[in-house]
Amino acid sequence: MLSSHHEAGGSVFGATSPICIRLNTAIELLGIGKTKMYELIAAGEIEAIKVGRATLVLRETLEAYIARAPRL
């Protein structure tokens, strides 16, 4: 569950958080599987970059995805 700070329009990340986060961390934050995350990346819903062998998810696109996701 996201914090009340995010629900009020703030970030799920701290003010000094990194620009990119590791793929596994993004998967844990969203509570989805690796396959679904790769589908979101392939569809352009979330942007990621490769740095060496690491796949890094751009924090701002992860936050934008969360912001536009349908609410239940």
Side-chain angles (χ1 to χ4, degrees):
M1 177 165 204
L2 298 176
S3 69
S4 60
H5 177 71
H6 175 72
E7 291 168 4
S11 172
V12 294
F13 305 98
T16 59
S17 62
I19 296 169
C20 297
I21 58 172
R22 290 195 174 265
L23 182 72
N24 287 339
T25 302
I27 288 168
E28 289 177 23
L29 285 169
L30 288 180
I32 61 175
K34 189 178 271 189
T35 300
K36 183 62 178 178
M37 177 60 82
Y38 280 114
E39 288 173 0
L40 292 171
I41 292 169
E45 294 285 335
I46 293 174
E47 292 182 62
I49 60 171
K50 290 293 278 189
V51 178
R53 293 175 55 194
T55 301
L56 302 176
V57 175
L58 300 172
R59 185 188 74 196
E60 71 179 29
T61 65
L62 187 61
E63 290 177 333
Y65 175 76
I66 293 167
R68 69 179 177 272
R71 304 295 187 250
L72 300 177

